[in-house]
Amino acid sequence: MSEENITNVHENASDYNDNQIQVLEGLEAVRKRPGMYIGSTSQRGLHHLVWEIVDNSIDEALAGFCTEIEITIEADNSITVQDNGRGMPTGINEKVGRPTIEVIFTVLHAGGKFGGGGYKVSGGLHGVGASVVNALSTELEVYVHRDGQKYYQRFERGNVVTDLENQGKTDYRGTIVHFKADPEIFTETVEFDYEVLRTRVRELAFLNRGLMISIEDKRAEHQVKKEYHYEGGIKSYVDHLNQSKEVIHDEPIYIEGERDGIMVEVAIQYNSGFSSSIISFANNIHTYEGGTHESGFKTALTRVINDYARRNKLFKDNDENLSGEDVREGLTAIISVKHPDPQFEGQTKTKLGNSETRSITDKLFSEALSKFMLENPDVSKKIVEKGVMASRARLAAKRAREVARKKNWA
Ligand code: 0R9
């Protein structure tokens, strides 16, 4: 593949097609500086290869065409990812004169996202993942089942070994990618850790309601398979996090909404404990450092609970409002947003920066929570009481500190 910079931007396109890809550069750069593309060449970077391929399947699921993703650690530590989506387009990219599949796997920055019309929301390397994985694998094979035909192409260290070939008829539909990480790149290890993959697979199943994701380990010493599928999505995630806790209302409160192309989902449940666990995600990426979605949620939660308590005379007239910390005591919450153009900031690039997401999360969550509280007065009263107890404890501790300070001065 040449290193020419070919641009092929389609405006107003609403779907990918074989020509709607911008082709920017070759793969030598990836093998020279793998860390720039996958973070590191340690075991963490190795696992990154899996997520880059899985992200493409998840995008297909988010587009509404894929319901199942299977990940297999093969006996030789190679990886197979299979999805039952539409199958990658099998036509020729006119600008390059090569099959789209070949372009996607051999040219950096070849991806629908760069075509202008693509709408993809999963995390990852924004459409360059397939070519990066190919560049860093001793072998990569892709099988596409589409329109009743099966196609196959093989690469080695990013280079084309066989042209895309039609292998005849199939009843199946979907894409299968099989790759083997290159020990010349991953000098520490090329062995996958089943537990690391399993934990993230389960998280992805929680975050993508209804999607079935399985992980199988075929290595001699392991031989295990787990399937994850949550019809409740992040509501099931909150149930899971609170499973060993005493909850103060039976069902997690779940809200979802969409505005300006930004999808917001929140699930919350209070337990009798004193700590809070708020976990936020943007495009399936754990936003450890929080961001606008998390702050919009927190502001809305505090305001709605105070408004409800005041309107329903659950405060005494001279009681001050509950603080943010008061209303978060004993709270387990998952916030998940899907944004067409997420901006990640902060030291570890895990803080969502898009400013409009703050007000959108605030509005969607506050409207839904206000409605829930009006319709569920028994649960709402328990939540307010929990906050009032936290507030009293906080004010009592503050008074005790003041008394102690005065004593020390006396
Ligand atoms: C096993 C891993 N799966 C994938 O890598 C995968 C990519 C992919 C895909 C499409 C469907 N399934 C996929 N699985 C797809 C098809 C169409 C449009 N968009 C996406 C279509 O039929 O019109 N693709 C991801 C990128 C591309 N396809 C494209 F750039 F080649 F179009």
Side-chain angles (χ1 to χ4, degrees):
M1 184 63 59
S2 81
E3 281 202 69
E4 281 176 279
N5 283 0
I6 307 162
T7 20
N8 178 19
V9 178
H10 282 236
E11 283 160 25
N12 305 320
S14 59
D15 204 358
Y16 295 118
N17 61 44
D18 293 308
N19 303 312
Q20 191 191 334
I21 301 159
Q22 277 183 47
V23 176
L24 296 174
E25 57 180 298
L27 293 184
E28 301 75 21
V30 182
R31 286 186 65 83
K32 265 189 208 141
R33 295 185 182 184
M36 264 187 61
Y37 299 89
I38 52 163
S40 77
T41 53
S42 64
Q43 199 183 40
R44 195 185 162 94
L46 178 77
H47 289 125
H48 214 100
L49 301 183
V50 180
W51 308 129
E52 288 308 326
I53 299 299
V54 170
D55 273 345
N56 294 328
S57 300
I58 290 196
D59 281 334
E60 185 66 356
L62 291 169
F65 299 104
C66 163
T67 56
E68 288 183 22
I69 303 170
E70 290 181 23
I71 303 165
T72 309
I73 310 172
E74 305 289 353
D76 63 353
N77 260 299
S78 63
I79 295 284
T80 306
V81 181
Q82 174 165 354
D83 70 52
N84 68 347
R86 289 167 292 181
M88 297 178 78
T90 52
I92 301 287
N93 178 283
E94 280 166 18
K95 285 276 162 176
V96 193
R98 299 295 304 165
T100 297
I101 291 174
E102 184 178 305
V103 177
I104 290 286
F105 280 94
T106 56
V107 186
L108 196 61
H109 291 188
K113 276 179 198 175
F114 294 87
Y119 178 86
K120 296 184 137 199
V121 295
S122 83
L125 291 176
H126 304 282
V128 304
S131 59
V132 168
V133 175
N134 192 20
L136 304 179
S137 298
T138 52
E139 56 180 277
L140 184 144
E141 295 168 302
V142 55
Y143 300 83
V144 171
H145 297 249
R146 191 178 160 107
D147 303 327
Q149 300 289 303
K150 179 181 175 185
Y151 301 83
Y152 170 79
Q153 188 161 21
R154 179 182 167 88
F155 308 88
E156 286 176 6
R157 296 199 161 96
N159 300 306
V160 173
V161 175
T162 65
D163 281 342
L164 184 70
E165 59 190 53
N166 183 326
Q167 294 189 326
K169 287 194 175 154
T170 179
D171 291 331
Y172 182 69
R173 196 192 72 164
T175 306
I176 302 164
V177 172
H178 171 245
F179 67 90
K180 201 160 197 279
D182 189 345
E184 282 179 14
I185 303 284
F186 299 94
T187 46
E188 250 176 54
T189 181
V190 286
E191 266 203 38
F192 288 92
D193 183 329
Y194 173 74
E195 273 308 307
V196 169
L197 297 185
R198 190 190 64 79
T199 305
R200 174 65 175 156
V201 161
R202 186 182 59 191
E203 185 172 86
L204 286 170
F206 279 132
L207 291 169
N208 298 280
R209 187 177 48 184
L211 179 65
M212 203 290 288
I213 317 187
S214 67
I215 170 87
E216 180 169 10
D217 193 342
K218 287 190 170 166
R219 291 172 298 187
E221 65 280 22
H222 297 78
Q223 306 280 356
V224 56
K225 180 172 180 175
K226 285 262 185 196
E227 291 183 357
Y228 295 99
H229 173 225
Y230 299 103
E231 278 307 328
I234 59 167
K235 190 171 174 234
S236 307
Y237 200 170
V238 166
D239 267 332
H240 168 78
L241 293 171
N242 271 343
Q243 66 190 352
S244 59
K245 308 235 163 77
E246 185 193 0
V247 294
I248 70 166
H249 53 105
D250 290 340
E251 288 273 306
I253 303 167
Y254 172 77
I255 73 103
E256 66 175 325
E258 188 269 338
R259 210 182 153 140
D260 300 340
I262 301 163
M263 290 185 284
V264 178
E265 281 183 279
V266 179
I268 63 170
Q269 188 179 37
Y270 284 89
N271 60 61
S272 58
F274 302 106
S275 58
S276 85
S277 172
I278 298 173
I279 310 178
S280 63
F281 297 86
N283 295 16
N284 291 332
I285 292 167
H286 187 166
T287 37
Y288 289 93
E289 297 174 271
T292 50
H293 53 339
E294 206 175 299
S295 63
F297 159 77
K298 286 179 177 171
T299 308
L301 182 78
T302 310
R303 189 182 65 245
V304 169
I305 292 176
N306 276 299
D307 285 355
Y308 180 88
R310 197 70 66 198
R311 276 207 193 106
N312 291 279
K313 312 241 174 307
L314 299 174
F315 287 160
K316 296 197 184 85
D317 279 344
N318 51 354
D319 272 354
E320 59 181 65
N321 267 3
L322 304 176
S323 72
E325 287 196 356
D326 296 337
V327 300
R328 293 196 294 271
E329 199 171 284
L331 177 70
T332 300
I334 301 287
I335 303 144
S336 173
V337 300
K338 305 238 167 74
H339 195 295
D341 184 25
Q343 302 300 315
F344 292 102
E345 300 173 346
Q347 285 217 312
T348 56
K349 291 273 178 280
T350 58
K351 183 175 182 181
L352 188 69
N354 304 69
S355 61
E356 78 291 331
T357 307
R358 188 191 318 274
S359 53
I360 289 175
T361 307
D362 182 324
K363 185 173 162 56
L364 292 173
F365 178 67
S366 58
E367 283 174 3
L369 183 62
S370 304
K371 185 166 178 286
F372 174 91
M373 293 188 87
L374 273 178
E375 290 168 357
N376 297 274
D378 294 348
V379 174
S380 305
K381 202 164 166 243
K382 284 184 195 167
I383 292 173
V384 171
E385 276 167 5
K386 172 102 188 147
V388 167
M389 299 272 274
S391 166
R392 283 194 191 134
R394 175 173 57 84
L395 293 172
K398 188 177 166 199
R399 278 194 296 272
R401 277 198 305 276
E402 279 165 4
V403 169
R405 200 169 48 227
K406 278 181 194 147
K407 261 194 191 159
N408 285 343
W409 282 7

